[in-house]
Amino acid sequence: MKTVKQIFKLLILVLFVNNFAYAQDEQPTMFNIHIDNVKFSMIPQYEGLAKELKDNFVKHNIQGASWTAISLADGRYVFSSPIKNMAELDNPGFAQIFEKMGKEAAGAMFNKMDECYDSHSNSISHYIPELSYHPEGYSTEGKNEREYHFLYYAPKNAKAMNEAMKAVKDMFAAKGVKNGYNVIHSGFGSEESYYMVSIAGEDSVAIAQGGKENDEIMGKEGKGKMFSVIELVTRYDMVKGEVRPDLSYYPKKE
């Protein structure tokens, strides 16, 4: 059976991609990210157990732990939790579920989850408010569909990449683009440097329509600014996902 410390690092996680319901100056900027690479055939079992985990946390109103769950189209399940510093990785809050459920019941639940994947990973990510674009009235409330655009770059181009990303944001603001986005940067535990641009919508059609509207507003100038980013990119990935309120946990304040 895994130790409580190992299980915490495995499963206690919030957003990678949060809904960002806080005011921008109050938003957490550092996140502990855990990813389970779930086998497609085991997704039903995994989701049932993830729901059981969440339900037990709700039942006992476990404090000191919270997470946002995101399911990706390729079978990955992402759990993200805000932290103030690396020391919070050893937060003892997660141990409470063993006390409330009992060691045998909690251990059996986690062992069943382990059957659903052959690999997983942990890393730290950073929300970058100065590169994220939030036009007036922007909100992700009710928009659980996600597109995640990963822009990988060589360390030697870190400064140039940051400046190019800032130029794109400034252009969005100058053009009055209505569709916002959040930017996450890689951190401790990531093998490559990257910026991840998160775009939210009610569904994939809404996201596509928003992208089309952006292109029309920005025109040739927009393509030029975007190319200044693309020419620095060593690798690009895009993956679709969905924020899962049914698998996420936020404790009630005591």
Side-chain angles (χ1 to χ4, degrees):
M1 183 184 299
K2 295 180 176 66
T3 64
V4 171
K5 180 177 178 180
Q6 288 174 323
I7 294 174
F8 175 81
K9 289 184 176 180
L10 175 64
L11 288 171
I12 187 64
L13 314 158
V14 182
L15 216 269
F16 185 151
V17 122
N18 226 324
N19 281 342
F20 294 103
Y22 308 101
Q24 183 160 313
D25 60 353
E26 297 177 341
Q27 290 176 198
T29 60
M30 189 175 183
F31 295 86
N32 180 28
I33 304 298
H34 174 78
I35 299 177
D36 285 335
N37 301 303
V38 179
K39 293 177 281 191
F40 285 110
S41 62
M42 300 298 287
I43 285 177
Q45 175 175 316
Y46 182 88
E47 289 206 356
L49 291 163
K51 183 64 164 55
E52 180 182 347
L53 175 67
K54 180 257 184 78
D55 288 346
N56 274 284
F57 268 75
V58 171
K59 176 182 178 180
H60 301 291
N61 193 27
I62 302 297
Q63 300 296 306
S66 63
W67 64 85
T68 293
I70 304 151
S71 57
L72 304 182
D74 57 9
R76 286 179 289 175
Y77 282 74
V78 179
F79 300 86
S80 169
S81 182
I83 56 176
K84 295 179 180 179
N85 51 54
M86 297 290 283
E88 289 196 351
L89 292 175
D90 290 325
N91 189 314
F94 204 73
Q96 297 176 58
I97 198 63
F98 281 82
E99 298 173 1
K100 299 296 185 179
M101 291 182 63
K103 291 182 179 180
E104 290 188 7
M109 178 177 63
F110 287 119
N111 286 338
K112 289 180 181 178
M113 292 188 79
D114 287 345
E115 297 173 358
C116 299
Y117 52 84
D118 293 326
S119 63
H120 53 246
S121 63
N122 291 283
S123 64
I124 302 297
S125 292
H126 302 271
Y127 167 62
I128 312 297
E130 61 268 24
L131 297 182
S132 300
Y133 178 62
H134 291 182
E136 184 177 357
Y138 174 75
S139 172
T140 60
E141 184 176 357
K143 301 176 181 178
N144 289 332
E145 191 78 12
R146 292 291 187 276
E147 270 191 5
Y148 300 118
H149 299 263
F150 289 83
L151 307 169
Y152 296 87
Y153 65 91
K156 66 180 180 180
N157 291 325
K159 181 179 179 181
M161 190 70 176
N162 182 278
E163 292 174 347
M165 294 286 289
K166 183 62 167 58
V168 170
K169 175 185 176 178
D170 291 344
M171 178 194 62
F172 269 58
K175 296 284 188 178
V177 175
K178 302 299 183 182
N179 303 300
Y181 57 83
N182 291 311
V183 173
I184 305 294
H185 192 268
S186 55
F188 182 80
S190 300
E191 294 183 356
E192 300 177 76
S193 298
Y194 66 80
Y195 284 103
M196 187 274 285
V197 180
S198 172
I199 301 173
E202 292 88 352
D203 52 37
S204 57
V205 174
I207 292 177
Q209 182 61 37
K212 182 179 179 181
E213 293 172 358
N214 292 353
D215 290 342
E216 293 174 350
I217 292 172
M218 294 185 295
K220 291 184 179 180
E221 181 183 357
K223 292 181 179 180
K225 295 293 185 182
M226 295 298 291
F227 182 74
S228 68
V229 173
I230 298 301
E231 65 181 350
L232 296 170
V233 172
T234 58
R235 186 162 66 87
Y236 166 78
D237 285 330
M238 191 278 280
V239 62
K240 295 184 178 182
E242 180 184 2
V243 174
R244 300 291 300 275
D246 58 325
L247 304 180
S248 302
Y249 174 68
Y250 314 105
K252 294 180 180 179
K253 293 183 179 181
E254 292 186 332

